[in-house]
Amino acid sequence: MTEKDEAIMGRRLFLKHAAALALAGISFGQRCAWGQANGDASLRERAARKGLIYGSAVSYGPLTRDTGLAASFVRECGMLVPESELKWETLRPSPDKFDFTQGDFMLDFAKKNNILLRGHTLVWHQALPKWFGTVVNSQNAEQVLRNHITTVVGHYAGKMHSWDVVNEAIATWEKQPDGMRNSPWYKLLGPKYIDIAFNAAAATDPNAMLVLNMDHLEHDVKGDDQGRSATLKLLRRLKSSKTPVHALGIESHLGMDGEMFSAEVFRTFLRDVAELGLKIMITELDVTDIIFSQNINKRDRMVANRYEEFLSAALEEKAVIGVLTWGLSDKYTWLSKYRPRDDKAAVRPLPLDENFNRKPAWNAIARAFDNAPKR
Ligand code: G3I
């Protein structure tokens, strides 16, 4: 399914629930008690009090240009994940060249501000450089993959909290065996590309936590249910073949229809993952607000409720060690481009508004950390 198809599917699903949501959402908003978190402590401090990590994705351009963003990031975040700077399309301008300029800036920024760094992502079906399709083939694919991983992981060895080694490996709607995504790597190497990637990363940086990062696992809908089953099957296979996977990353790009989430279903999945001896990270959390109310106060409360409902369920599972939002401020969110509102109003999916002020979503995340069991 292309990104466009996913967007269409998502929109159809959202619109199907529009009327129900409009009522449920508002009454849902009224049902949930919400308000200010106690005190002024940052999300980073509140998470750390419970042995958790809070962080966010950020891009090179905004981080270098926008002092307001940089200051807010240092205040609120204990972990940084580069939004695009460690992907193939940025790192690999040509088959024989690596460009670490932007990645090194992010590392330097993190180190200077005592922020942990996580790498995203070593193997994905998107963000591949233009030369990939004409250079990589079934004969050289394994060597190309190993060389990429050993070079990139080696460059940051000892400095990386964790790596998203393989991203979005499951796509049950593509009807491949075991729900595997029919990605260029799968086509070239079969399912063993995942084992090759994790073993190469582990051999290069034994100190980094190695993460299988997945989407479409969060909602109480048929597709995500199939995704959860296929992901558990893949994790069990990797564990039985002693492939060094240490954690599952759950992207958590949340829809906006309250009925699409079941705390019980999600907690059961988290427990099943934890029982495999794996840690869990919420890696790309945001809340799409495209059919929430036009009224900004109402919309902010509905977004906040989705954050609190989701994190209250997720943080009950002690295998969950960290939460990252996919962006910190509404000023910089991928959703502006990929999930715009029909009324053309600016989307408001993140903890801080476009002027870096704390929103109800920030309070919801703060309260979820305050109420979370200590690790
Ligand atoms: O940096 C170039 C710039 O030089 C050029 O002028 C411009 C022209 O379009 O493109 C810029 O690169 C863009 C890059 O973001 C950096 O801004 C790419 O076109 C654009 O495709 C890329 O989009 C990112 C997308 O992943 C694909 O890599 C989004 O910002 C990012 O939020 C999104 O993040 C993904 C996660 O990695 C995986 N999970 C889903 C998530 C959302 O799609």
Side-chain angles (χ1 to χ4, degrees):
M1 178 184 301
T2 64
E3 253 179 57
K4 188 166 177 302
D5 293 344
E6 279 191 57
I8 291 166
M9 180 186 82
R11 183 171 294 282
R12 275 204 199 107
L13 194 60
F14 295 159
L15 295 177
K16 185 165 76 71
H17 290 276
L21 177 76
L23 293 173
I26 294 172
S27 60
F28 182 75
Q30 284 150 2
R31 271 204 312 275
C32 269
W34 81 281
Q36 301 293 326
N38 295 326
D40 191 43
S42 67
L43 296 180
R44 168 181 191 159
E45 291 163 309
R46 293 172 195 265
R49 287 173 189 161
K50 299 300 180 70
L52 284 157
I53 300 165
Y54 169 73
S56 171
V58 69
S59 285
Y60 175 79
L63 192 60
T64 50
R65 283 193 310 268
D66 192 331
T67 52
L69 174 66
S72 305
F73 198 97
V74 170
R75 182 187 74 227
E76 298 290 350
C77 298
M79 183 174 277
L80 183 158
V81 58
E83 189 164 356
S84 292
E85 292 68 20
L86 296 179
K87 294 174 180 172
W88 279 65
E89 67 181 353
T90 308
L91 288 175
R92 307 295 303 276
S94 63
D96 54 359
K97 194 167 177 301
F98 288 81
D99 181 356
F100 291 107
T101 312
Q102 295 187 2
D104 289 355
F105 173 85
M106 308 295 248
L107 174 66
D108 189 45
F109 178 87
K111 271 171 68 177
K112 275 186 188 149
N113 294 291
N114 188 28
I115 293 172
L116 296 170
L117 186 69
R118 74 181 314 264
H120 173 84
T121 176
L122 296 170
V123 187
W124 193 25
H125 61 285
Q126 288 189 37
L128 291 169
K130 289 185 176 49
W131 53 262
F132 187 89
T134 53
V135 169
V136 186
N137 55 51
S138 51
Q139 277 71 47
N140 66 9
E142 180 166 345
Q143 187 276 328
V144 171
L145 179 58
R146 286 183 187 282
N147 178 54
H148 180 81
I149 292 175
T150 50
T151 307
V152 175
V153 174
H155 185 83
Y156 295 108
K159 299 166 187 159
M160 203 59 93
H161 168 272
S162 51
W163 272 105
D164 286 339
V165 176
V166 171
N167 204 44
E168 302 176 0
I170 296 287
T172 52
W173 57 84
E174 294 187 355
K175 309 293 180 209
Q176 290 296 315
D178 295 330
M180 294 296 291
R181 182 184 291 274
N182 200 20
S183 73
W185 295 108
Y186 181 80
K187 289 190 179 92
L188 288 161
L189 294 167
K192 74 173 190 310
Y193 82 88
I194 299 176
D195 307 76
I196 291 167
F198 276 92
N199 281 301
T204 309
D205 186 355
N207 299 313
M209 179 184 288
L210 303 181
V211 183
L212 175 71
N213 193 51
M214 301 287 283
D215 56 349
H216 295 301
L217 295 178
E218 306 82 7
H219 296 102
D220 188 18
V221 291
K222 185 162 174 278
D224 285 20
D225 201 38
Q226 291 168 343
R228 288 186 286 268
S229 303
T231 298
L232 281 169
K233 185 171 181 182
L234 173 58
L235 289 170
R236 289 180 180 124
R237 177 185 78 72
L238 294 170
K239 294 294 285 183
S240 65
S241 57
K242 305 241 181 300
T243 300
V245 184
H246 306 135
L248 173 67
I250 301 178
E251 291 189 6
S252 310
H253 294 293
L254 302 183
M256 25 17 80
D257 177 342
E259 278 62 50
M260 280 169 61
F261 179 73
S262 156
E264 186 189 351
V265 167
F266 192 58
R267 273 205 301 276
T268 301
F269 173 64
L270 297 181
R271 193 172 51 243
D272 291 344
V273 174
E275 282 171 359
L276 294 174
L278 296 171
K279 296 297 183 189
I280 299 166
M281 294 188 79
I282 304 297
T283 51
E284 305 184 11
L285 181 58
D286 52 22
V287 176
T288 298
D289 70 348
I290 55 172
I291 62 164
F292 278 162
S293 162
Q294 284 203 337
N295 174 297
I296 284 185
N297 290 333
K298 276 195 195 130
R299 187 164 7 130
D300 281 356
R301 289 179 62 164
M302 293 160 94
V303 167
N305 285 322
R306 297 291 284 109
Y307 272 108
E308 189 148 18
E309 173 196 41
F310 178 79
L311 286 176
S312 306
L315 295 177
E316 267 190 39
E317 173 51 66
K318 290 192 174 182
V320 175
I321 60 166
V323 175
L324 295 103
T325 47
W326 202 244
L328 184 59
S329 159
D330 295 338
K331 187 174 179 182
Y332 304 104
T333 170
W334 70 291
L335 292 170
S336 301
K337 178 179 171 187
Y338 292 95
R339 294 274 191 283
R341 285 176 56 92
D342 288 344
D343 62 8
K344 306 286 182 267
V347 294
R348 297 174 65 84
L350 292 169
L352 305 184
D353 70 15
E354 66 284 6
N355 300 311
F356 311 109
N357 300 310
R358 292 169 169 176
K359 295 162 59 187
W362 182 95
N363 282 282
I365 299 170
R367 272 198 314 282
F369 284 136
D370 292 348
N371 298 330
K374 201 169 170 51
R375 267 65 180 155

